[in-house]
Amino acid sequence: MAPHDPQMLKGVLRLLVLTLLEAEEDYGYALVVRLRELGFDDLAEGTVYPALARMESAGLLEGRLVRSSSGPARKYYRVTDAGHAERERAETDWRSLASTVDRALDDREPTTTAPPEPTEVAQR
């Protein structure tokens, strides 16, 4: 699969993370794995962790530490009420934008028409 444009991915990462965490509480690396399984193969861990921290600071997520039998405690995230509302808003915005872009791509005129013939200018 071709790599995704990092700027486009950055624009929808919040929506993707909120959507996945609404389905199931999870920790950072597990979210990276889930996103990669969905087709975001080129997604770096260094992109997800700062996004989680920003969303937690904004009150969209709540984190809690859970002991792990295989190493240090993991921070699990769940979506707050504000996060649910943000996910709904972001999904509506995304669907509207994607629909508009699809319409523009599907409705464009063919570019195979010949340019107009030049007109002669009368000389005095």
Side-chain angles (χ1 to χ4, degrees):
M1 178 177 278
H4 296 94
D5 181 311
Q7 290 304 311
M8 283 189 197
L9 182 56
K10 184 178 177 185
V12 297
L13 185 60
R14 178 187 289 214
L15 172 59
L16 294 169
V17 168
L18 288 171
T19 299
L20 290 176
L21 289 175
E22 274 189 338
E24 180 182 0
E25 177 182 66
D26 225 335
Y27 61 97
Y29 184 72
L31 280 170
V32 172
V33 170
R34 288 168 65 189
L35 287 161
R36 287 177 180 165
E37 287 172 351
L38 288 170
F40 298 97
D41 302 328
D42 50 340
L43 182 69
E45 291 174 45
T47 302
V48 174
Y49 289 108
L52 288 169
R54 284 190 302 272
M55 287 188 278
E56 185 177 23
S57 292
L60 304 176
L61 300 176
E62 281 182 353
R64 65 183 178 95
L65 289 177
V66 176
R67 289 185 188 182
S68 172
S69 60
S70 61
R74 293 180 175 149
K75 191 169 190 177
Y76 278 76
Y77 294 92
R78 72 172 197 83
V79 180
T80 63
D81 289 342
H84 289 292
E86 172 60 16
R87 200 250 346 121
E88 288 177 12
R89 185 209 58 77
E91 181 177 349
T92 299
D93 287 354
W94 169 256
R95 291 189 185 279
S96 175
L97 175 62
S99 173
T100 302
V101 170
D102 284 342
R103 197 168 44 257
L105 294 175
D106 292 342
D107 291 346
R108 60 189 159 175
E109 294 288 323
T111 57
T112 57
T113 58
E117 293 292 323
T119 57
E120 289 187 35
V121 177
Q123 294 182 347
R124 290 188 182 203

